[in-house]
Amino acid sequence: MKILYFAWLRERVGKPEEEIALPSNVSTIADLMEWLAGRGEEYAYAFENRNVIRAAIDHVHVKADAPVGAAREIAFFPPMTGG
Amino acid sequence: MKILYFAWLRERVGKPEEEIALPSNVSTIADLMEWLAGRGEEYAYAFENRNVIRAAIDHVHVKADAPVGAAREIAFFPPMTGG
Amino acid sequence: MTVTIRLQQEDFDVGAENAVLARGHTDIGAIVTFTGICRDSEAGSDVSAMTLEHYPGMAEAEIARHVETAQARWPLLGVTVIHRYGRLVPGDNIMMVATASAHRQAAFAAAEFLMDYLKTQAPFWKLEERGRDKKWVDAKSSDDRATERWRKD
Amino acid sequence: MTVTIRLQQEDFDVGAENAVLARGHTDIGAIVTFTGICRDSEAGSDVSAMTLEHYPGMAEAEIARHVETAQARWPLLGVTVIHRYGRLVPGDNIMMVATASAHRQAAFAAAEFLMDYLKTQAPFWKLEERGRDKKWVDAKSSDDRATERWRKD
């Protein structure tokens, strides 16, 4: 599964995207953020304030309880600030 | 004194402008329209419906009772239709 | 504050006019441009051409007066008004207004204000051609209502 | 109905884009164009540059969805949205919206609707540079209020 990071999330994680193998105990966006936060210092920093982080599954905005099982691409980003 | 005509007033009078010598009994725009209307068939036709005709003295909109004595240029035209 | 008011027969270039408005300014955040184009149909019937007549000198003065009103009401950094006269056919540009400001709200409001004025009370008379039939257009009362919303009493 | 949505690094030409929108149409009477320009000051302090980041694919889809909403609400004959990304300095064009319609009211309303969306919720993140200091811009709540007026419940 492809995970994308934008803006300060990208800077904190230190990469724009990566491929992950979804663990079996991760079923929602909230689960995924929790799992990612446990992957190391940079992830813990990126995901320290999870309630401001927005997510999209396959280009569509979703809430934290959205199921992630069928996703091809999941993106995490701060609230969009407009152009 | 220079008199200008626009749109269908110009077409009816048959010329865009003319010089006139203001008669001594003409003191307002209304007087001037009445005097012009008496100058011939084309003027009578142009000024037959005087309450729709607008006037300007030296580029400024004026009402029918405006005095014309000090004017350099008087224009008569239908209500402006915008661009 | 860059103010450009031009009445002309020739066409205009919106991109070039916008560039003139913005040139040398780094405080402008928003430019709203309106372009009015000659349509092939008015009031439900085909129009083959229209001719705009204006009163040179008075037209510029009247437009300038309304630009000043817009400047007094909104924090503008530039205004351009270009209006063509003469005979125009469908597809031809008729006129443009461009308003520049730090923020979009002022630029939009001022452009709409100037357009409501220009489309209804601006010093032009319009002759429409429908085939061989030519007719002077009457002042529209529906457009007058659009200008009324700007009136402060 | 001509719809153009482009995200690009390079600059755009408002005049050329307007011409594309109008080409071959004689039913368009009004084109409203908004150009957003990078300012040298935001929230009262100097800005030396800004960088716009976007989510390719999602950005286009989100903008297209809002263009469809505008089309459903107003009788539009064409819409163009061009948004730049990457690093921009004061004076640079950021984005443009153009809306074409038979009459000016629909063109103005649709352009304002799209701008309120693009300036607040569009899929961009903005990094502002003030000298050597770089800071991601937070979402603004005042702009969110501007978008609320379009919400139909």
Side-chain angles (χ1 to χ4, degrees):
Chain A
M1 182 177 284
K2 193 177 185 181
I3 310 290
L4 303 175
Y5 308 102
F6 291 99
W8 52 257
L9 263 144
R10 174 181 51 70
E11 290 182 338
R12 291 180 182 189
V13 168
K15 52 187 139 191
E17 59 180 80
E18 62 185 320
E19 284 291 332
I20 63 155
L22 200 66
S24 59
N25 62 330
V26 167
S27 59
T28 66
I29 289 288
D31 295 344
L32 181 56
M33 285 203 276
E34 178 146 357
W35 178 75
L36 287 166
R39 292 177 81 208
E41 224 173 76
E42 68 277 29
Y43 288 94
Y45 178 40
F47 287 95
E48 70 178 0
N49 197 359
R50 269 169 249 173
N51 60 335
V52 305
I53 297 174
R54 310 294 168 89
I57 295 180
D58 297 334
H59 294 172
V60 177
H61 288 283
V62 293
K63 300 210 163 161
D65 59 0
V68 296
R72 281 177 292 108
E73 179 175 305
I74 297 179
F76 292 103
F77 42 80
M80 288 155 167
T81 42
Chain B
M1 182 177 288
K2 193 178 187 180
I3 309 290
L4 302 175
Y5 307 102
F6 291 98
W8 51 257
L9 262 143
R10 173 180 52 70
E11 291 182 338
R12 291 181 182 189
V13 169
K15 53 188 138 188
E17 59 180 80
E18 62 184 321
E19 284 291 331
I20 63 155
L22 199 68
S24 58
N25 62 331
V26 168
S27 59
T28 66
I29 289 289
D31 295 344
L32 181 56
M33 286 203 276
E34 177 147 355
W35 178 75
L36 287 165
R39 291 176 81 209
E41 225 172 76
E42 68 277 29
Y43 286 95
Y45 179 41
F47 286 95
E48 72 180 355
N49 197 358
R50 269 168 249 173
N51 60 334
V52 303
I53 297 174
R54 309 295 169 90
I57 295 181
D58 297 333
H59 295 174
V60 177
H61 288 283
V62 293
K63 301 209 164 163
D65 60 359
V68 295
R72 279 177 293 110
E73 181 175 304
I74 296 179
F76 292 103
F77 42 81
M80 287 155 168
T81 43
Chain C
M1 174 83 193
T2 314
V3 175
T4 302
I5 296 169
R6 283 207 314 273
L7 300 188
Q8 61 188 40
Q9 264 191 296
E10 56 272 24
D11 198 8
F12 50 80
D13 175 336
V14 171
E17 297 301 334
N18 269 18
V20 168
L21 204 52
R23 189 173 300 152
H25 280 275
T26 49
D27 50 353
I28 292 176
I31 297 181
V32 170
T33 309
F34 180 93
T35 313
I37 300 168
C38 185
R39 296 169 65 223
D40 56 8
S41 134
E42 285 297 337
S45 73
D46 288 357
V47 173
S48 41
M50 63 178 236
T51 299
L52 283 168
E53 183 170 330
H54 75 298
Y55 181 176
M58 183 166 177
E60 289 87 341
E62 285 280 297
I63 293 170
R65 207 161 52 82
H66 283 80
V67 169
E68 278 164 30
T69 303
Q71 285 175 255
R73 196 168 297 188
W74 292 284
L76 302 177
L77 296 165
V79 176
T80 300
V81 177
I82 299 174
H83 212 302
R84 296 177 71 185
Y85 57 84
R87 189 168 181 274
L88 302 170
V89 297
D92 281 351
N93 285 329
I94 302 171
M95 48 79 63
M96 68 165 281
V97 161
T99 52
S101 185
H103 300 288
R104 70 185 185 283
Q105 290 86 350
F108 268 119
E112 287 193 74
F113 166 82
L114 288 170
M115 282 310 308
D116 282 347
Y117 159 66
L118 287 165
K119 294 295 272 186
T120 57
Q121 298 169 287
F124 291 93
W125 301 277
K126 206 185 290 178
L127 181 74
E128 282 181 357
E129 295 175 39
R130 290 178 157 81
R132 302 181 60 171
D133 187 42
K134 296 184 183 187
K135 193 174 174 306
W136 290 99
V137 177
D138 284 331
K140 270 193 279 183
S141 58
S142 76
D143 269 335
D144 280 345
R145 281 196 294 278
T147 63
E148 266 165 29
R149 64 176 163 140
W150 302 108
R151 213 157 280 160
K152 275 185 178 166
D153 291 314
Chain D
M1 173 81 195
T2 314
V3 175
T4 302
I5 296 170
R6 283 205 318 270
L7 300 188
Q8 61 188 39
Q9 265 192 294
E10 56 273 24
D11 198 8
F12 50 81
D13 175 338
V14 171
E17 297 301 334
N18 268 19
V20 168
L21 202 54
R23 188 174 299 152
H25 281 275
T26 48
D27 50 354
I28 291 175
I31 297 180
V32 170
T33 309
F34 180 92
T35 313
I37 301 168
C38 185
R39 296 168 65 225
D40 57 7
S41 134
E42 285 296 338
S45 73
D46 288 357
V47 173
S48 40
M50 64 178 236
T51 300
L52 283 167
E53 183 170 329
H54 76 300
Y55 181 177
M58 182 167 177
E60 289 87 341
E62 286 279 298
I63 293 170
R65 207 161 52 80
H66 283 80
V67 169
E68 279 164 29
T69 303
Q71 285 175 255
R73 196 168 296 187
W74 292 283
L76 301 177
L77 296 165
V79 176
T80 299
V81 177
I82 299 174
H83 213 301
R84 296 178 71 185
Y85 57 84
R87 189 168 182 273
L88 302 170
V89 297
D92 281 352
N93 285 329
I94 302 172
M95 49 80 63
M96 67 164 281
V97 161
T99 53
S101 185
H103 300 288
R104 70 186 185 282
Q105 290 88 350
F108 268 118
E112 286 192 76
F113 167 82
L114 288 170
M115 282 311 307
D116 282 349
Y117 159 68
L118 287 165
K119 293 296 272 187
T120 57
Q121 299 169 287
F124 291 93
W125 301 277
K126 207 185 289 178
L127 181 73
E128 282 179 358
E129 295 175 39
R130 291 178 156 82
R132 301 183 61 171
D133 187 41
K134 295 184 182 186
K135 193 175 176 304
W136 290 99
V137 177
D138 285 330
K140 269 192 279 180
S141 58
S142 76
D143 270 334
D144 280 345
R145 280 196 294 277
T147 65
E148 266 165 30
R149 66 178 162 137
W150 303 106
R151 214 157 279 161
K152 274 185 181 168
D153 293 313

